[in-house]
Amino acid sequence: MTAGAYVFEYYLVNYRRTWRASALSTLVMPLLTMVGFGLGVGAYVTGGVAGVPYLDWIVPGLIASTAVQTAIGESLWPVFGNFEWLKVYFAQAAAPLRVADILGGHLAYMLFRIVVSAAVFLGVGVLFGAVGSWWAPLAVPVAALAGLAVAAPTVAYSATVGSESYLPILLRFAVLPMSLFSGVFFPVESLPVLLRWVAWLLPLWHGVELCRDAMLGRAPGLIGLWHAIYLLAWCVLGWRLAHSRFRRRLVI
């Protein structure tokens, strides 16, 4: 068992004590979103999108978006708090653990939380009859990849800022626009050309497209490979940035 696995186990032990607090929201939010957008808005979208019923079309985007939002939630205040309030990272560094172990263990826990939220959302989609392809379970690892692509650079951001007042800024000016303009609720082709390019640069759009391919049973082709490579690039770059920031703060 590697040292990073022990760090991951530490977070799992804590989660075992607190999972009830998040379990309700993990289940209720997909239900409310499915009813509000999938059924409510979908009732006015006659003919669906590209011949696909709106509920079936929107659920893959919601799974990817939920994964990204879970990733953001786990990589902002928890990371900042481990540096500034609880000093968990400093205690782990004194254990001693390598920076890669500390960072990797926490990212592994974030990935676990992302997978749980995506799997629950997929299950709710099945209950609503919005899943019609045997390839649909692949949406969970795809959503996990998209979530990790966002979590890693966000961890670097949280490890850099000196005040918690900077954390909501990321939510307002990065996460919210990304959720709205990444093809979750409507095709990006309906956006002006400039905003389309912005959407194409965002990691969430790539995750949405891959999730939609999986859940609709479409072959992603070479563009699917590009989506995966792009998300992996975000993961690698985010890891390098986060590792650099952790090392600067933890290694004396």
Side-chain angles (χ1 to χ4, degrees):
M1 190 172 184
T2 65
Y6 286 111
V7 176
F8 176 50
E9 183 182 15
Y10 162 78
Y11 290 106
L12 283 181
V13 170
N14 287 337
Y15 181 67
R16 187 174 61 185
R17 299 169 182 163
T18 61
W19 69 270
R20 293 175 182 84
S22 61
L24 184 61
S25 62
T26 301
L27 179 61
V28 170
M29 285 307 296
L31 286 171
L32 294 179
T33 306
M34 205 80 70
V35 172
F37 286 99
L39 299 180
V41 176
Y44 295 92
V45 184
T46 57
V49 180
V52 178
Y54 186 69
L55 179 62
D56 296 6
W57 188 87
I58 196 177
V59 167
L62 291 174
I63 291 176
S65 179
T66 297
V68 165
Q69 290 175 22
T70 301
I72 293 292
E74 292 292 334
S75 54
L76 280 177
W77 278 273
V79 173
F80 182 83
N82 280 355
F83 275 117
E84 302 295 336
W85 301 326
L86 303 177
K87 308 295 183 181
V88 169
Y89 292 142
F90 296 101
Q92 291 174 341
L97 290 166
R98 298 180 305 160
V99 171
D101 298 327
I102 297 170
L103 175 60
H106 202 173
L107 280 173
Y109 171 72
M110 294 178 194
L111 188 60
F112 163 76
R113 293 282 289 117
I114 293 166
V115 168
V116 169
S117 64
V120 170
F121 211 120
L122 178 63
V124 174
V126 172
L127 293 177
F128 275 77
V131 178
S133 170
W134 289 105
W135 296 103
L138 290 177
V140 174
V142 167
L145 179 61
L148 189 61
V150 173
T154 305
V155 167
Y157 176 82
S158 301
T160 301
V161 298
S163 170
E164 65 171 316
S165 60
Y166 289 101
L167 304 183
I169 293 176
L170 188 69
L171 292 175
R172 292 174 187 147
F173 296 103
V175 179
L176 182 59
M178 180 169 62
S179 300
L180 293 175
F181 301 114
S182 293
V184 176
F185 303 102
F186 53 85
V188 297
E189 289 77 15
S190 62
L191 293 170
V193 175
L194 179 60
L195 289 180
R196 285 185 216 172
W197 278 100
V198 173
W200 293 333
L201 292 174
L202 297 173
L204 178 54
W205 176 75
H206 297 268
V208 168
E209 288 296 298
L210 283 176
C211 282
R212 196 160 279 145
D213 287 338
M215 294 193 66
L216 296 180
R218 302 184 311 202
L222 290 178
I223 188 64
L225 179 62
W226 162 244
H227 290 319
I229 291 174
Y230 189 77
L231 291 174
L232 285 171
W234 272 78
C235 293
V236 172
L237 178 60
W239 167 271
R240 292 178 65 88
L241 289 173
H243 188 274
S244 174
R245 294 308 305 166
F246 271 55
R247 184 175 181 82
R248 184 173 301 181
R249 298 194 64 174
L250 297 178
V251 178
I252 300 176

